Amino acid sequence: MPRTVLIVDDERDTNDILASFVRSRGFEPIQLYAGAQVKSAIAEHKPALILLDVMLPDLDGFAICDALKRDRETNLIPVIMVTALQEDHHRVAGVRVGANGYLAKPFTPEGLFKAMDGAMAWHEEHRKRGTSGEINFDIRSELTYLQQANDMLADLFAHTPLTDRQIKDLKQAVMEMGGNAIEWGHRKNADLVLRITYRIDPEGIVLIIQDQGPGFNPGDVPHAASDEDPIGHIDLRNELGIREGGFGIMLARGLVDDFRYNTRGNEVTLIKRFDSPADGATSR
């Protein structure tokens, strides 16, 4: 049986055009005209790809994509946003919710096929690799930063027994420490690249966040919150004219099972262990 592509667009002419192009590539199009139909159609047809309009009559396409990417059952289904919205902030919004491609209307067959090929390649890569990976965050591009963070989240959903809550905690810890490294390690130098290496072991997830800055002494950061005095740093930040914050290290430390810096202070290792069967029965 041919693989199916879910087409979700309330403009019937556009939906039909997409269906004809999809059919020419050997896929069977499943045509929907409202967002509320998506969940049941996925369960019935098990699509290999979803072409999703942003402006639907009943639901917001970004919200649909976000829900799919936060669900372990649908996380690895590639989603291409198809829309007339072409501003940069719309593209950023698509990346934020985990979209695997962004096709602007009016589109060409070549543009559609390129987006489809890229999305299907993403699916195959993340379906297979599962045991390890390396992410290089290019801080000159927010789109790249967000997309690669979502790629990591997809791998955790697909290849680990972590609960949704544990994955959310781990992603938050990574974003906290990644942002910390960009702001303080790199001093927001756009020419430097932040490297995050992650490994999926039988016992848990190991993530190493490394910046190219000079490092620091993690035991001597007066402008950051500490477990002993969570708010004492606030007055110092005000005196120094530093923005509100300083909770990143303390927050990340509480979200993982093991948290440690290297001697230089430019590399932090985060470890999140999988629950034992007995623990899992009580935590899920």
Side-chain angles (χ1 to χ4, degrees):
M1 293 180 62
R3 292 181 295 173
T4 61
V5 171
L6 212 61
I7 301 172
V8 190
D9 197 316
D10 62 311
E11 296 179 0
R12 291 186 176 270
D13 288 345
T14 301
N15 202 314
D16 289 342
I17 292 171
L18 287 169
S20 66
F21 288 154
V22 162
R23 197 175 284 112
S24 73
R25 293 293 296 265
F27 292 93
E28 179 64 31
I30 307 298
Q31 295 178 253
L32 306 180
Y33 303 95
Q37 302 169 314
V38 170
K39 189 173 182 179
S40 60
I42 289 175
E44 180 179 356
H45 299 287
K46 304 293 189 294
L49 176 70
I50 299 174
L51 301 176
L52 178 62
D53 188 19
V54 170
M55 296 184 291
L56 295 166
D58 56 344
L59 298 175
D60 177 71
F62 291 135
I64 295 173
C65 184
D66 186 53
L68 294 176
K69 291 302 181 178
R70 291 179 182 273
D71 188 329
R72 192 183 295 270
E73 297 299 319
T74 56
N75 178 263
L76 284 185
I77 301 176
V79 177
I80 298 174
M81 311 302 295
V82 185
T83 179
L85 302 176
Q86 300 186 34
E87 299 293 331
D88 286 344
H89 69 274
H90 293 129
R91 292 179 179 272
V92 171
V95 174
R96 284 188 186 280
V97 297
N100 304 104
Y102 197 95
L103 186 66
K105 300 177 183 178
F107 52 83
T108 64
E110 293 75 17
L112 172 63
F113 298 151
K114 181 179 179 181
M116 290 176 62
D117 289 344
M120 297 298 291
W122 173 89
H123 170 81
E124 196 63 17
E125 176 190 358
H126 287 272
R127 183 183 68 82
K128 286 181 175 179
R129 74 187 192 186
T131 55
S132 65
E134 183 170 290
I135 304 175
N136 297 320
F137 283 178
D138 184 349
I139 63 173
R140 288 168 294 184
S141 169
E142 185 185 10
L143 290 178
T144 301
Y145 183 89
L146 293 169
Q147 184 63 67
Q148 291 172 334
N150 281 320
D151 284 353
M152 184 192 72
L153 182 65
D155 288 339
L156 298 184
F157 266 116
H159 303 294
T160 78
L162 292 176
T163 66
D164 292 358
R165 179 72 224 185
Q166 290 171 323
I167 292 173
K168 183 179 179 180
D169 287 349
L170 189 55
K171 184 181 179 183
Q172 183 175 358
V174 170
M175 297 303 281
E176 288 286 345
M177 298 314 299
N180 208 46
I182 290 171
E183 181 174 9
W184 296 100
H186 289 171
R187 302 294 191 220
K188 299 182 180 179
N189 183 341
D191 294 325
L192 300 178
V193 174
L194 176 69
R195 171 156 297 178
I196 297 185
T197 304
Y198 73 100
R199 184 175 69 251
I200 303 175
D201 292 335
E203 296 80 20
I205 309 295
V206 179
L207 294 116
I208 301 172
I209 303 173
Q210 183 182 49
D211 63 61
Q212 298 180 47
F216 72 107
N217 179 1
D220 182 22
V221 192
H223 59 269
S226 67
D227 294 332
E228 295 77 18
D229 187 4
I231 62 172
H233 70 294
I234 294 177
D235 290 339
L236 177 60
R237 293 178 77 92
N238 288 334
E239 292 175 11
L240 297 175
I242 302 173
R243 65 167 178 80
E244 294 183 3
F247 296 98
I249 293 177
M250 186 177 72
L251 178 62
R253 193 187 301 274
L255 293 172
V256 296
D257 296 309
D258 195 0
F259 179 102
R260 57 180 181 269
Y261 272 97
N262 65 349
T263 303
R264 179 177 165 185
N266 73 326
E267 178 182 292
V268 61
T269 298
L270 312 175
I271 298 176
K272 188 74 171 178
R273 298 186 183 90
F274 301 143
D275 290 335
S276 67
D279 292 336
T282 59
S283 65
R284 285 179 169 81

